[in-house]
Amino acid sequence: MAATMADARASARAGAGRDADSMATPSMLRRFEGSDGPRRPAAAPPPAFANFKMLKRGARGKLEARDLLVPEAASFAASVKQNKEARDAEDRALKEKTGYLASRQEI
């Protein structure tokens, strides 16, 4: 067992067996003031994002609304956009029919 312990210590010092994919990572990264994230070239257009509010319980059990940015190319954002357009079209049709019926009753 002493040989295996010594081998383990030697390999740990040499960095053997470390893999970046298996390392522990924090669940939330701290943002420092003045750091906007990675810089993009000025010529590239910014990617389009859909903004969602995610409800989450904070440290003290209180509900918080967190901003969640999802790329518009994602299927989730596309389906939400499609459903919103369908709802808006249905609302417009309902308003038109209501206005038409109201005008017929006035006559």
Side-chain angles (χ1 to χ4, degrees):
M1 177 149 173
T4 57
M5 292 281 286
D7 292 339
R9 282 190 209 122
S11 66
R13 283 188 210 113
R18 290 189 182 177
D19 186 13
D21 293 333
S22 64
M23 293 176 71
T25 57
S27 60
M28 292 181 61
L29 298 176
R30 186 174 181 182
R31 292 185 183 227
F32 297 101
E33 291 180 27
S35 66
D36 304 0
R39 301 271 184 214
R40 280 189 217 99
F49 288 102
N51 190 12
F52 293 97
K53 296 284 185 187
M54 178 178 68
L55 290 178
K56 154 183 196 288
R57 293 216 181 260
R60 297 183 181 171
K62 199 173 181 184
L63 279 177
E64 300 174 349
R66 304 283 305 250
D67 285 331
L68 182 66
L69 296 176
V70 179
E72 286 185 352
S75 61
F76 172 71
S79 65
V80 168
K81 184 177 181 181
Q82 183 180 10
N83 290 342
K84 183 181 182 312
E85 289 172 354
R87 249 189 346 260
D88 291 345
E90 185 179 356
D91 288 345
R92 282 191 302 273
L94 185 62
K95 283 182 183 180
E96 287 176 11
K97 287 183 179 184
T98 305
Y100 175 73
L101 289 174
S103 68
R104 285 191 58 191
Q105 287 180 349
E106 290 176 3
I107 297 176

